C-alpha cells in the first residue's frame, strides 16, 4: 500500500469524521485527532473549512478513480456482466468504502442549500455517469444517457436504504444481487434483445 502524505491522511480522516459525526462534527481539531496527527496539522494543509471540504472532495474523487480503473475489461460487455459489475460496486461501496459512501451522502445533503460545493460534487458525479452511459451504450441500451442517470439514481436508493436502515451484507450479499438484477431488468431492452424478440 502506498505511503499516504499528511494531506491525504487528513483528507481520509475528514471523510471518516463526516461519516461518523455528520457535517457539524467536521473541525480541523477533530480531523487531527482522528488521523493521529499533531494539533494544527490539518489546518496547515487546509487553512479554512471550505478548503478542507474541497480537499475531501478531491480525495474522494481520487479514491473513486482508483476503484473504477480496477473494473474488469468486460465489466459492461453484457447485461449479465453489468449485473455482476453492479453487485461488485455495491459490495465495495458498502464494505471497504462504506465511510466514503456515507460521507458523500452527507455532503450532497449539505450542498443542497449551498452552491459552494455543488461544482465539485457535480464533477465527481459526472465521472461515474459517463462510465455508466458508456456501459449502457456498449450493451446496446437506447438513450444511454438517460438510462445511466436512472441507473445511478437506483443505485443511490439501494445505498441509502443500506446505510439508513440496515446493512444487506448480513444475508451474504443476496439482497445486493437481487437489487442489481432488478435494476437491470428495468433497463430498456438492448438492440440485440429487440432483434431477438422479432425473430
Amino acid at each position: 500500500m502506498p505511503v499516504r502524505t499528511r494531506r491525504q491522511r487528513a483528507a481520509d480522516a475528514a471523510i471518516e469524521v463526516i461519516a461518523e459525526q455528520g457535517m457539524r462534527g467536521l473541525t480541523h481539531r477533530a480531523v487531527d485527532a482522528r488521523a493521529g496527527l499533531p494539533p494544527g496539522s490539518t489546518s496547515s494543509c487546509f487553512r479554512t473549512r471550505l478548503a478542507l471540504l474541497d480537499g475531501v472532495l478531491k480525495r474522494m474523487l481520487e479514491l473513486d478513480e482508483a476503484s473504477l480503473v480496477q473494473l474488469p475489461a468486460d465489466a459492461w460487455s453484457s447485461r449479465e456482466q453489468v449485473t455482476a459489475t453492479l453487485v461488485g460496486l455495491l459490495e465495495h461501496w458498502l464494505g471497504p468504502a462504506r465511510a466514503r459512501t456515507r460521507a458523500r451522502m452527507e455532503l450532497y445533503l449539505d450542498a443542497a442549500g449551498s452552491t459552494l460545493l455543488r461544482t465539485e460534487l457535480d464533477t465527481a458525479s459526472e465521472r461515474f455517469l459517463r462510465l455508466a452511459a458508456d456501459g449502457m451504450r456498449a450493451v446496446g441500451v437506447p438513450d444511454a444517457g438517460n438510462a445511466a442517470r436512472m441507473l445511478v439514481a437506483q443505485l443511490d436508493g439501494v445505498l441509502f436504504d443500506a446505510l439508513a436502515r440496515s446493512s444487506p451484507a448480513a444475508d451474504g450479499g443476496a439482497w445486493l444481487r437481487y437489487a442489481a438484477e432488478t435494476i437491470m431488468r428495468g433497463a430498456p431492452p438492448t438492440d440485440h434483445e429487440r432483434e431477438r424478440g422479432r425473430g
Side-chain angles (χ1 to χ4, degrees):
M1 179 179 293
V3 176
R4 294 177 299 166
T5 64
R6 184 172 62 172
R7 192 178 181 87
Q8 288 173 329
R9 287 177 62 191
D12 288 343
I15 291 170
E16 293 173 2
V17 169
I18 294 171
E20 294 173 5
Q21 303 176 35
M23 296 296 289
R24 291 183 179 180
L26 183 66
T27 65
H28 288 81
R29 182 177 298 178
V31 174
D32 284 339
R34 180 69 184 184
L37 292 168
S41 297
T42 299
S43 62
S44 71
C45 295
F46 307 102
R47 301 299 297 177
T48 65
R49 178 182 170 83
L50 185 59
L52 178 56
L53 287 170
D54 184 64
V56 164
L57 287 169
K58 285 182 169 59
R59 180 59 171 161
M60 290 172 75
L61 186 59
E62 177 186 355
L63 294 170
D64 287 343
E65 289 281 352
S67 299
L68 292 175
V69 297
Q70 293 179 21
L71 290 176
D74 64 345
W76 309 97
S77 60
S78 67
R79 190 178 287 260
E80 293 73 21
Q81 189 57 46
V82 172
T83 299
T85 298
L86 295 183
V87 172
L89 286 171
L90 287 168
E91 289 176 340
H92 176 71
W93 290 332
L94 292 171
R98 188 181 185 89
R100 193 158 81 243
T101 302
R102 191 175 187 89
R104 180 180 286 106
M105 290 187 175
E106 292 281 351
L107 285 163
Y108 269 109
L109 289 173
D110 189 72
S114 170
T115 58
L116 292 176
L117 300 175
R118 194 77 246 177
T119 301
E120 288 83 354
L121 282 167
D122 287 345
T123 298
S125 295
E126 284 301 321
R127 171 69 178 92
F128 186 72
L129 276 171
R130 285 196 303 271
L131 180 67
D134 289 344
M136 296 290 100
R137 202 171 290 112
V139 296
V141 171
D143 197 5
N146 280 330
R149 190 165 294 278
M150 179 57 70
L151 170 69
V152 172
Q154 290 171 310
L155 290 174
D156 283 344
V158 173
L159 293 170
F160 177 83
D161 179 73
L163 292 171
R165 295 182 177 89
S166 60
S167 172
D171 64 5
W175 165 246
L176 296 183
R177 173 158 292 282
Y178 175 81
E181 289 172 348
T182 301
I183 289 171
M184 288 310 298
R185 277 199 301 271
T190 66
D191 295 336
H192 176 69
E193 288 166 340
R194 287 198 302 274
E195 286 296 325
R196 190 171 56 192
R198 296 191 189 103

